[in-house]
Amino acid sequence: MAGKKLDRAPGAMEDWTIPQDWERFSPAEHAMWDRLFDRQTRLLGDRAAPEFLGGLDVLRMERPGIPHFGELSDRLMKLTGWQVVAVPGLIPDDVFFEHLANRRFVSGNFIRTPAQLDYLQEPDIFHDVFGHVPLLADPVFADYLQAYGQGGQRASALGAIERLSRLYWYTVEFGLIRRDGNLRIYGAGIVSSHGESIFALDDQSPNRIGFDLRRVMRTKYRIDDYQQTYFVIDSFEDLLRETLETDFGPVYADLATQPDIEIDTVEPEDRVVSLGTQAYARKGVLSA
Ligand code: PHE
Ligand code: CO
């Protein structure tokens, strides 16, 4: 995700990209990727959306370890026209949107340490590449993320970035999808987290609510622990169609008069898939 008031790294390009410099990674860093990759692919077999699982093949590189972005981009380019480029960390919103609108996915350029195996707040290569890239191999999702980038440029002009960020958060990062009567994960923040891959589907604590565009845009989110509410879509086609066909201009204007919704609240109009106990959130394990 993008951030605010940042300085461009020395040597970075105007679009904030830097060389990945793949040769720089140590054997321990490559081993960290392999360890996380194995652990998550074993866990996600019957948990992640089939489109995500199918897209994992694009990450099976010639050499083990952290994917080489040049090789990865060649493969993705052939499938859906996307590329993966390195940036030093958080980048300004408008730069982030510009990359997405041009089918370039930006990835952080560091990998977590063993102490951060299970949780870190800043996106590392494992989150950005393992979490996001498989779905970029899916043509519908690939179009959604580009449209989101274009929508970001517009939201920026309309002063509505916060609303639009919530859509990203509750779909691209933490989305669930219904498949054959069961829930599956597609959000990158979930699939790249061992703990949340279990929690998001199995735990009694969080709410799971049918996706509603305006509702999502009104809902706050937390960045320091597992989510307290997840939103469930029926298909990527539905998500893409609804977001493309809806003119967000009037929606932003209308929502400006409505209060935000807290992270754990269930509204009378919600299509509740499962009503959470919020027991985990009350204990606050990760943030304690
Ligand atoms: N339809 C949105 C708008 O009018 C653009 C958008 C499309 C945003 C898809 C997100 C995802 O701004
Ligand atoms: Co992400």
Side-chain angles (χ1 to χ4, degrees):
M1 278 290 279
K4 290 166 186 67
K5 290 191 216 73
L6 302 155
D7 291 319
R8 193 170 358 134
M13 308 288 286
E14 208 156 332
D15 66 0
W16 289 63
T17 60
I18 54 172
Q20 183 196 20
D21 200 8
W22 188 86
E23 284 70 26
R24 149 184 77 91
F25 292 110
S26 68
E29 288 175 315
H30 285 300
M32 173 58 74
W33 169 278
D34 290 336
R35 178 178 172 191
L36 290 162
F37 186 92
D38 281 356
R39 185 171 74 155
Q40 285 310 92
T41 48
R42 272 186 277 114
L43 177 64
L44 292 171
D46 56 1
R47 292 178 175 268
E51 292 86 348
F52 176 89
L53 296 171
L56 278 173
D57 280 343
V58 81
L59 296 180
R60 298 187 206 278
M61 301 281 106
E62 279 167 34
R63 292 162 286 197
I66 294 168
H68 184 283
F69 287 179
E71 186 187 341
L72 182 57
S73 295
D74 288 347
R75 290 167 169 225
L76 262 184
M77 181 59 79
K78 285 190 197 114
L79 292 168
T80 56
W82 275 78
Q83 287 172 269
V84 178
V85 293
V87 290
L90 292 177
I91 61 172
D93 293 319
D94 57 326
V95 180
F96 178 69
F97 296 141
E98 168 86 11
H99 281 297
L100 294 184
N102 289 287
R103 287 173 109 86
R104 287 188 300 269
F105 195 78
V106 294
S107 170
N109 205 17
F110 75 98
I111 189 144
R112 67 194 69 186
T113 64
Q116 299 167 311
L117 191 66
D118 290 311
Y119 201 79
L120 77 171
Q121 237 169 275
E122 337 85 286
D124 71 338
I125 303 176
F126 187 73
H127 167 79
D128 282 332
V129 174
F130 180 88
H132 288 282
V133 171
L135 279 181
L136 292 177
D138 178 75
V140 178
F141 197 86
D143 284 354
Y144 174 64
L145 212 55
Q146 178 181 24
Y148 180 88
Q150 293 162 339
Q153 294 171 319
R154 188 164 176 233
S156 184
L158 295 171
I161 285 186
E162 198 183 0
R163 303 280 178 211
L164 192 69
S165 305
R166 291 170 176 173
L167 175 64
Y168 190 92
W169 191 261
Y170 284 117
T171 59
V172 178
E173 293 291 356
F174 290 97
L176 300 180
I177 186 167
R178 226 185 300 264
R179 193 51 59 86
D180 302 327
N182 292 309
L183 296 183
R184 293 255 180 167
I185 306 162
Y186 72 91
I190 310 177
V191 293
S192 62
S193 158
H194 189 80
E196 197 154 0
S197 292
I198 297 167
F199 178 86
L201 292 184
D202 297 354
D203 208 280
Q204 307 276 313
S205 188
N207 301 318
R208 300 177 185 87
I209 296 174
F211 178 84
D212 178 276
L213 185 61
R214 288 163 193 261
R215 198 310 186 182
V216 165
M217 285 188 173
R218 288 176 57 200
T219 309
K220 297 180 181 177
Y221 60 80
R222 64 184 305 166
I223 62 167
D224 61 333
D225 207 327
Y226 300 155
Q227 299 306 301
Q228 289 178 242
T229 298
Y230 299 95
F231 291 94
V232 181
I233 61 169
D234 288 317
S235 70
F236 295 129
E237 284 82 1
D238 286 353
L239 177 65
L240 177 63
R241 190 180 330 108
E242 185 182 359
T243 50
L244 277 181
E245 287 176 359
T246 306
D247 178 355
F248 286 14
V251 177
Y252 297 145
D254 181 37
L255 293 187
T257 67
Q258 306 228 18
D260 283 345
I261 300 174
E262 295 301 324
I263 50 181
D264 58 350
T265 305
V266 176
E267 298 279 298
E269 313 76 43
D270 285 341
R271 290 177 294 128
V272 177
V273 178
S274 60
L275 181 62
T277 62
Q278 300 298 335
Y280 171 85
R282 275 199 289 273
K283 275 191 291 160
V285 183
L286 277 178
S287 45

